[in-house]
Amino acid sequence: MAAKLNFFPLGNADTLRIDLADGQKVLVDYAAMRNGEIGDKRCDLPEELRRDLNRAGRDYYDVVCITHTDTDHCKGFGDFFWLRHAGKYQGEGRIKINELWVPAAAILEDGLTDDARIVRSEARHRLRDGKGIRVFSRPERLKKWMQDEGIDFESRKHLIVDAGRTVPGYDKTGPEQVEFFVHCPFGWRQNENTVIERNEDSIVLHATFVEGGQESRLFLASDVNYETVSEIVQVTRHHGNEDRLLWDIMKLPHHCSYLALAPDRGAEETKPEPDVKWLFEDQREAGAVIVSPSNPIPAKGSEADQGVQPPHRQAANYHRRITNADDGEFRVTMEHPSQTNPKPFAYNVTALGIALDVAAPMVSSSAAASTPKAG
């Protein structure tokens, strides 16, 4: 089977399910945002995920990655998953997690509440237990926390993955046919900062898929801002790993916020900082796809257009322009579902590149698109 990337319409919130070539299922973030009110076009995430798992004959995910603990990335975590740290999260019908991926910040941050606190409790429990966990980056304060908790760091360091490394257990030549490269968080920056910056200390991944001998690349940018994107570009280029910044499909950072491009919004279009511009314009493959996990882009002069929250029209104008110039696609998750059919959409990894799954329930045949490789 070929890998598939499944995006869910959840408002300004993130969930992506990656179905791998060997049948593994990787869930990146979980945000059950639908409230059931009339007119709510956000999908029923628990229902959609359970339907897929039932079809696959399983009650677990191989991996659940919580990129950071903002509500729009973990809402409903404690209601949906079977968790190891407390019996009240182990009822019938809950979905199990073989391996939980979290940034170091999710373990270290104090003052968390609700689902963020539940994520932290589960991650800490698994780290103490020494299994079923991957922690991304190892700042000195993580070592200090482990020491204070009586956890032997040396016996757990194989569970920690630093930026600039690949995630163990995934190989382009293996049956899974994918490799995950870690761009963020940076342990050194967490050592410099006295306060955890949740968005900037989140997990940023670059996935390389292989199908029919052809490589396709997915960039998952979490909620980082332009400064962190610039640091990712500079560090990666310094180490001669520019190929780790090539992309066929980009999950935009922070719901199409202008702050993921530059400090200034601009009147009609955000002008990206130089390193960000290089990533978006020079590293995109022909026909590349940008997915904005966000509310619809506001119309000029509308109330939403005047607000501070993303999505920002000026950022979207930039992304649309460079996408149109490259014969690509700019797709906003909440611009597609209807009130009666708020379903996810998917892209298939094919031997010709990334292609929109025309069998997805909310996509008509006239909307089909693909991004075949040049040459």
Side-chain angles (χ1 to χ4, degrees):
M1 62 180 287
K4 179 180 288 189
L5 314 174
N6 304 269
F7 294 88
F8 298 83
L10 298 166
N12 275 5
D14 278 76
T15 298
L16 166 69
R17 192 187 75 240
I18 305 174
D19 301 328
L20 298 182
D22 63 350
Q24 289 192 62
K25 291 184 179 292
V26 177
L27 195 68
V28 183
D29 290 322
Y30 177 90
M33 306 300 288
R34 184 174 173 84
N35 58 23
E37 293 180 357
I38 295 175
D40 189 350
K41 295 182 180 180
R42 294 171 293 188
C43 76
D44 187 331
L45 185 63
E47 179 183 346
E48 293 293 338
L49 295 180
R50 283 198 172 93
R51 182 182 296 118
D52 174 74
L53 289 171
N54 288 337
R55 283 196 299 261
R58 54 157 69 192
D59 64 351
Y60 66 93
Y61 285 102
D62 298 276
V63 171
V64 172
C65 172
I66 302 298
T67 62
H68 61 296
T69 54
D70 278 354
T71 298
D72 55 323
H73 293 256
C74 68
K75 182 177 173 60
F77 183 88
D79 296 325
F80 186 70
F81 292 106
W82 194 101
L83 304 177
R84 300 178 183 179
H85 75 273
K88 66 179 181 178
Y89 302 113
Q90 298 174 2
E92 183 179 354
R94 288 176 172 269
I95 304 304
K96 298 180 177 65
I97 302 171
N98 284 357
E99 191 167 87
L100 178 64
W101 295 0
V102 296
I107 289 176
L108 298 171
E109 188 174 358
D110 294 325
L112 297 179
T113 60
D114 302 324
D115 287 292
R117 184 182 183 90
I118 296 171
V119 172
R120 185 186 66 185
S121 296
E122 181 69 5
R124 287 180 171 181
H125 174 87
R126 289 176 180 233
L127 187 57
R128 292 188 184 100
D129 205 32
K131 57 187 177 182
I133 184 80
R134 291 277 179 200
V135 179
F136 288 72
S137 87
R138 51 176 141 184
E140 288 301 318
R141 69 178 74 176
L142 178 62
K143 293 182 180 180
K144 175 66 165 52
W145 180 85
M146 293 174 68
Q147 180 181 356
D148 293 344
E149 293 290 314
I151 303 171
D152 178 46
F153 174 78
E154 290 299 317
S155 68
R156 301 292 191 278
K157 68 179 182 180
H158 67 286
L159 302 173
I160 303 171
V161 188
D162 288 320
R165 305 290 185 182
T166 57
V167 180
Y170 295 89
D171 197 297
K172 293 183 293 185
T173 63
E176 62 278 0
Q177 297 176 207
V178 68
E179 182 177 77
F180 293 102
F181 182 86
V182 183
H183 278 297
C184 188
F186 298 116
W188 55 265
R189 187 168 62 187
Q190 292 173 78
N191 291 333
E192 293 177 355
N193 295 337
T194 57
V195 178
I196 288 174
E197 298 179 15
R198 192 180 296 166
N199 284 1
E200 311 319 314
D201 295 331
S202 61
I203 298 174
V204 175
L205 295 173
H206 180 271
T208 303
F209 302 89
V210 177
E211 183 63 36
Q214 176 68 59
E215 290 190 351
S216 296
R217 300 172 177 90
L218 165 69
F219 197 97
L220 295 173
S222 191
D223 274 4
V224 294
N225 68 16
Y226 72 93
E227 293 173 310
T228 301
V229 174
S230 294
E231 287 177 347
I232 287 172
V233 169
Q234 291 167 16
V235 169
T236 306
R237 297 183 76 177
H238 174 75
H239 289 283
N241 288 328
E242 287 89 345
D243 61 315
R244 301 294 190 177
L245 294 171
L246 293 170
W247 55 276
D248 298 276
I249 183 165
M250 165 81 71
K251 197 289 293 181
L252 279 185
H254 210 190
H255 321 296
C256 200
S257 169
Y258 77 88
L259 288 172
L261 294 172
D264 298 315
R265 187 185 303 202
E268 295 298 327
E269 181 179 304
T270 304
K271 180 180 179 181
E273 291 291 285
D275 289 321
V276 181
K277 176 182 172 69
W278 180 83
L279 173 64
F280 276 99
E281 298 185 29
D282 294 355
Q283 293 301 95
R284 62 186 300 126
E285 297 284 12
V289 174
I290 292 177
V291 175
S292 175
S294 69
N295 290 323
I297 306 303
K300 183 177 180 179
S302 65
E303 183 178 350
D305 189 37
Q306 311 304 315
V308 298
Q309 293 301 317
H312 297 126
R313 171 179 55 87
Q314 295 86 346
N317 285 343
Y318 168 74
H319 293 304
R320 283 199 179 106
R321 178 176 61 79
I322 64 171
T323 299
N324 291 339
D326 191 47
D327 196 28
E329 182 184 11
F330 175 71
R331 194 172 186 87
V332 179
T333 55
M334 288 303 295
E335 288 185 350
H336 292 274
S338 67
Q339 182 174 329
T340 58
N341 193 26
K343 297 294 183 181
F345 59 87
Y347 286 88
N348 295 317
V349 177
T350 77
L352 296 177
I354 301 292
L356 187 66
D357 183 1
V358 297
M362 57 186 270
V363 179
S364 67
S365 58
S366 63
S370 63
T371 60
K373 301 287 187 178

